[in-house]
Amino acid sequence: MVARELLGTVLEYTTPAGRVAGRIVETEAYLGPHDPASHSAAGLTPRTRWLFGRPGTAYVYFIYGRYWCFNAVTQPVGVGSAVLVRALEPIDGLARMRRRRPLARRDRDLTNGPGKLCAALGLDGSLNGHLLSRAPLVIRRGDEIPDARVVVTPRIGLTKAAEWPHRYFVRDNPYVSPTPVAFPRVAYG
DNA sequence: CATTTGATGTTCT
DNA sequence: GAACATCAAATGC
């Protein structure tokens, strides 16, 4: 599963304002049209245009009237499958992240949620459709995370398919978003 | 620490 | 008109 493979890779955004980067420590897989929780379940709409694009495309959407969420498309054109990046461990540009997230009290609060990390990095809808193999926004190889350090749970915040176990995170990493207490946690593999 | 609640506006029905 | 892949503040331990 690509969502698991993305753990440990580095998301890096370079603009005239500077460079910000973080290690991906939490992801969620959204499958194709047969996944009721995926935006692709509703078919092709103006919003989901880039979700149905080629693998490695950025799919960025606006939610709850305030926040952007960043995804990487993972399946061939027309399928509509993507991985939501839910948390980063900051690597570079910490000062810029703090300026963009003035309400974050602790550094771990800068990027431990999908809306938070987009705000910290400055990601928004202008990046929709961008290919992640090229500047200014790239995902590059980082640390390999052993299977023994990967935990699987249901996805957060869903009403449909709420029990499907497609959330992955790095065990004991302080930058992972809080796991709801009632969630089952399963070792990967 | 855990749980609850209000804010916010786009998207699709 | 309802739903929504969220967040932060407030509350009760």
Side-chain angles (χ1 to χ4, degrees):
Chain A
M1 180 67 59
V2 181
R4 182 261 178 274
E5 292 164 6
L6 278 175
L7 293 178
T9 63
V10 175
L11 181 63
E12 180 180 77
Y13 186 39
T14 306
T15 65
R19 190 178 88 113
V20 286
R23 186 177 322 287
I24 296 175
V25 295
E26 178 182 350
T27 58
E28 281 178 356
Y30 287 86
L31 283 41
H34 301 299
D35 176 358
S38 172
H39 292 170
S40 58
L44 181 61
T45 68
R47 176 175 67 162
T48 59
R49 172 177 175 189
W50 297 109
L51 174 56
F52 287 95
R54 59 180 273 208
T57 298
Y59 169 53
V60 186
Y61 66 90
F62 195 59
I63 191 69
Y64 293 113
R66 288 181 127 82
Y67 307 105
W68 295 100
C69 289
F70 168 79
N71 298 250
V73 174
T74 57
Q75 292 289 313
V77 170
V79 175
S81 180
V83 170
L84 172 69
V85 176
R86 285 197 53 91
L88 299 176
E89 175 179 343
I91 292 174
D92 198 14
L94 212 47
R96 274 182 285 278
M97 294 186 196
R98 293 190 186 109
R99 277 199 297 278
R100 288 174 170 141
R101 299 244 327 121
L103 298 181
R105 302 196 173 276
R106 309 165 298 178
D107 281 349
R108 61 191 288 186
D109 297 319
L110 292 170
T111 52
N112 64 347
K116 297 177 189 179
L117 72 90
C118 283
L121 268 58
L123 307 182
D124 62 26
S126 69
L127 290 159
N128 231 329
H130 171 76
L131 280 180
L132 295 165
S133 49
R134 319 227 318 252
L137 181 64
V138 302
I139 292 178
R140 58 177 172 77
R141 218 187 309 285
D143 294 344
E144 291 285 331
I145 308 296
D147 286 352
R149 304 213 37 231
V150 176
V151 182
V152 185
T153 78
R155 297 172 291 187
I156 290 181
L158 302 187
T159 57
K160 297 175 245 179
E163 73 291 353
W164 291 21
H166 292 315
R167 171 173 176 256
Y168 302 81
F169 65 86
V170 179
R171 187 195 311 275
D172 296 331
N173 186 291
Y175 294 90
V176 170
S177 75
T179 300
V181 286
F183 271 22
R185 304 156 195 245
V186 179
Y188 180 82

